[in-house]
Amino acid sequence: MQTCRSLIKHSACFLFLFASLSISAQKKLTGRSGAVKGDPSLFDSSTVKRSTGYKEVASIDMYLQFNEASDSIIVDTTLSIKKLYKFNYLQKDNFGLMPFANIGQTYNSLTFNPFQKNTTPRFAAQSRHFNYLEVEDINYYEVPTPWTRLTYKTAFEQGQLLDAFFTVNLSKQFNFSIAYKGLRSLGNYQNALTSTGNFRFTSNYNSKNKRYQARGHIVMQDLLNQENAGLTEEGVVNFQSGDEEFIDRSIFDPNLEDAENILEGRRFVLEQSYNIVKRADSLKATQLSVFNHFNFEDKYYQYYEGSLSTDFFGDVFTNKVDDKVTLEDFRTNLGLLYKSRLIGEMSFAVNYNSLNYGYNTTVLFPSEIIPNRIKQNFFGVEARFKKTFKSFSISGEGALNISDAFSGNFISGNLKYVINDKLSIAGGINASSRLANYNLLLYQSDYINYNWYNAQSFENVRTQQLYAEVDSKEYVSIHMDVSNIDNFTYFNLESTIDKNKIIKPRQYSKPIQYLRLKAQKEFKFGNFALDNTILYQNVISDQSVLNVPDFTIRNTFYYTNELFKKAMTLQTGVSLNYFTSYNMNGYDPLLAEFYTQNETEIGGFPMLDFFVSAKVRQTRIFLSAEHFNSSFTGYDYFSAPNHPYRDFTIRFGLVWDFFL
């Protein structure tokens, strides 16, 4: 309690000082304040001068960003509880994810979505991909003046997280952005250093006659993690004892002392279209366009260990472990897009894929040969449809590989009805069939146990899913989906011999039924609010091959008010995260993958965070006491077997927007 009171006292002093300095600085920069177009609850009342080609004054709602689907999103600099949920390493709401002890490490998934809109396998080391930016994570921008955003947050022990972003329109037709997110954090445990970098460059262009559009991005990423494989069995007992001798986490002996893995990737994307026919007549507005998308990605995953760990992974071929797997993925398509008020929007395209995954060597066993490559070149087709009629909207998309060796397809259909601006309902059906991920089909390692080839024996993973949702601002928002999974493929803990864990890829031949029901509701009482999210899950199968907790809960009670003549918005409160006990997936550092285990139950412990957040102009400040209950609710908190969750720590960060 004394720590919390001290934290509140210092937080208030800091926020008051920052508010005074920020208000003074903003007055010098702008010299005035202005009105905002649109809902004042959504946008800030700041104005800035515009660049050439725009009007003299710009409001915040004129700064736009576009995602892969070309949906426009207005830049939002307000302070809300959802902004707190997104203020983390991933910069997205991580409900349903259990972070490891150090920032930049992996996350254990508390929920699972079996449907994916892709027809090809995913790369190896999926636990490293939480912070790997995919095509759908990249935004494009249109801004009247240069916009800069700096995001900073403290890390654990030595290091910090910083994301610097800048975008500008050189004209109304041409925009570019450049950004880099870097992290370095030593961590509280031995051999747990994380060092990551995500570089992004985007650009988009529209001709003056609006017939030609182009956009593209370059993304280069490197994600390095030291791997300690968690605590030893003796270390787990000492950790759970809560003895003061072990509060200093750096004294624990890890399972691995000289191991690290790295995921690196480069992606080049160019999308362009040209309007062949464009009629602007109000009664016969039609558009016929030809489009082409080009996507090339080159990535590799490497596991290195200077000193061998045969007592953990088993026997080896060599006296040094240096595993490396690569993927070259080239995709392009050519298609037609047709738009009309009567029919809606539809497109059809033919695509070409060239995939090259694998290693530089072949592994020979007495009774088996492990090849070095999975290579395929094939064509495919894809189609999309979207139509809005009054309050109804219907959309669908699908793709199919024209290949016997690399078969895959998906189809998705969605229907939405907007009742009013506070209530909408939606539903849909999804189905997919694709090969299992590459490292389940083919893997090679200097460790003998980690060599397999299943490309000819594993069947396609098939998923059928129904979903329905209600989005309500007054009542309860509900999302429910029911999935049937055939040929579910996963990594499994086969057995433990001495300390050696034998991890193998397995395919479950029987169907799995999986239900998810998520509800969210916020109650407000004057300046106080209680935000609640609960997720219920149920898996039906003959064996425990897909393990998730029955319930995952997040409750946040907080207070909001405007201070200093409404110059600063303040939020403070307590957030509770909790999930019921279950056989949580284990983590394998060599594969950088999670595996199914049915020996150790984890969960049933509360995680309480106290936070103070403030906003002055376009600056948001976050101060939190994370997991402050760790010392008095028992040392039984883990992110995976042998991997403790974070202890109590105080962290600070901010998001600072500049509109020049």
Side-chain angles (χ1 to χ4, degrees), residues 271-514:
E271 304 176 4
Q272 52 187 343
S273 66
Y274 181 79
N275 296 332
I276 303 173
V277 176
K278 184 173 183 179
R279 299 179 60 180
D281 186 282
S282 59
L283 298 178
K284 300 179 180 179
T286 60
Q287 177 181 325
L288 179 63
S289 304
V290 58
F291 63 86
N292 168 247
H293 296 173
F294 168 92
N295 185 325
F296 175 74
E297 188 165 27
D298 181 12
K299 59 200 301 188
Y300 75 84
Y301 168 71
Q302 186 173 18
Y303 176 86
Y304 174 82
E305 193 173 1
S307 56
L308 302 180
S309 300
T310 54
D311 58 341
F312 193 82
F313 293 116
D315 295 334
V316 295
F317 290 117
T318 62
N319 57 5
K320 184 181 71 172
V321 175
D322 189 5
D323 302 338
K324 184 176 182 180
V325 60
T326 63
L327 172 66
E328 292 180 356
D329 186 351
F330 172 76
R331 305 180 186 187
T332 186
N333 69 6
L334 180 64
L336 290 173
L337 169 67
Y338 178 77
K339 291 182 181 180
S340 75
R341 293 191 176 183
L342 179 63
I343 298 177
E345 177 181 327
M346 62 175 61
S347 66
F348 178 82
V350 176
N351 59 54
Y352 172 77
N353 295 259
S354 178
L355 305 171
N356 187 350
Y357 164 89
Y359 305 81
N360 294 326
T361 59
T362 300
V363 180
L364 301 177
F365 286 106
S367 59
E368 185 181 12
I369 298 176
I370 309 298
N372 66 324
R373 291 280 167 186
I374 295 178
K375 296 177 64 176
Q376 285 291 330
N377 301 308
F378 57 90
F379 288 93
V381 294
E382 57 191 70
R384 288 179 174 83
F385 173 76
K386 182 167 60 176
K387 169 65 176 176
T388 299
F389 178 73
K390 294 184 179 180
S391 298
F392 285 93
S393 62
I394 183 172
S395 63
E397 59 182 307
L400 171 68
N401 293 343
I402 305 175
S403 171
D404 294 331
F406 231 75
S407 63
N409 62 77
F410 81 86
I411 187 170
S412 175
N414 311 279
L415 179 65
K416 183 177 182 179
Y417 176 60
V418 179
I419 300 174
N420 52 51
D421 59 352
K422 295 183 179 180
L423 179 63
S424 66
I425 58 175
I429 182 171
N430 303 313
S432 67
S433 173
R434 67 173 183 87
L435 291 171
N437 293 344
Y438 286 112
N439 59 348
L440 288 155
L441 301 177
L442 168 64
Y443 201 81
Q444 291 185 11
S445 172
D446 291 327
Y447 283 106
I448 296 176
N449 289 333
Y450 288 81
N451 290 272
W452 52 75
Y453 180 65
N454 300 307
Q456 296 178 345
S457 58
F458 279 3
E459 300 290 335
N460 275 23
V461 181
R462 297 190 298 272
T463 302
Q464 303 86 39
Q465 184 182 78
L466 292 171
Y467 82 90
E469 61 184 19
V470 177
D471 186 2
S472 172
K473 295 181 180 179
E474 289 187 351
Y475 306 103
V476 181
S477 294
I478 298 174
H479 177 94
M480 182 185 72
D481 58 59
V482 180
S483 301
N484 183 82
I485 312 169
D486 292 305
N487 301 323
F488 178 68
T489 311
Y490 61 104
F491 289 103
N492 186 54
L493 175 61
E494 299 289 291
S495 61
T496 303
I497 303 174
D498 294 329
K499 294 183 180 180
N500 296 344
K501 290 181 171 62
I502 309 301
I503 311 296
K504 293 293 182 183
R506 290 290 178 258
Q507 188 164 64
Y508 186 61
S509 59
K510 298 181 180 180
I512 298 174
Q513 285 77 43
Y514 175 35

Side-chain angles (χ1 to χ4, degrees), residues 4 7-9 11-12 15 79-81 84 527-530 556-561 563 569-575 609-615 621-625:
C4 292
L7 177 62
I8 297 172
K9 178 180 177 182
S11 300
L15 294 175
L79 181 68
S80 66
I81 196 64
L84 176 70
N527 291 334
F528 292 91
L530 177 64
T556 304
F557 181 72
Y558 65 99
Y559 170 83
T560 304
N561 203 353
L563 307 176
T569 303
L570 174 71
Q571 280 189 348
T572 182
V574 177
S575 184
D609 300 334
F610 171 77
F611 64 90
V612 179
S613 306
K615 175 183 173 295
I621 314 154
F622 301 89
L623 187 65
S624 61

Side-chain angles (χ1 to χ4, degrees), residues 54-70:
Y54 291 91
K55 295 180 180 180
E56 181 181 356
V57 176
S59 56
I60 191 66
D61 57 319
M62 299 174 185
Y63 293 80
L64 303 177
Q65 50 189 342
F66 307 88
N67 57 21
E68 181 197 15
S70 297

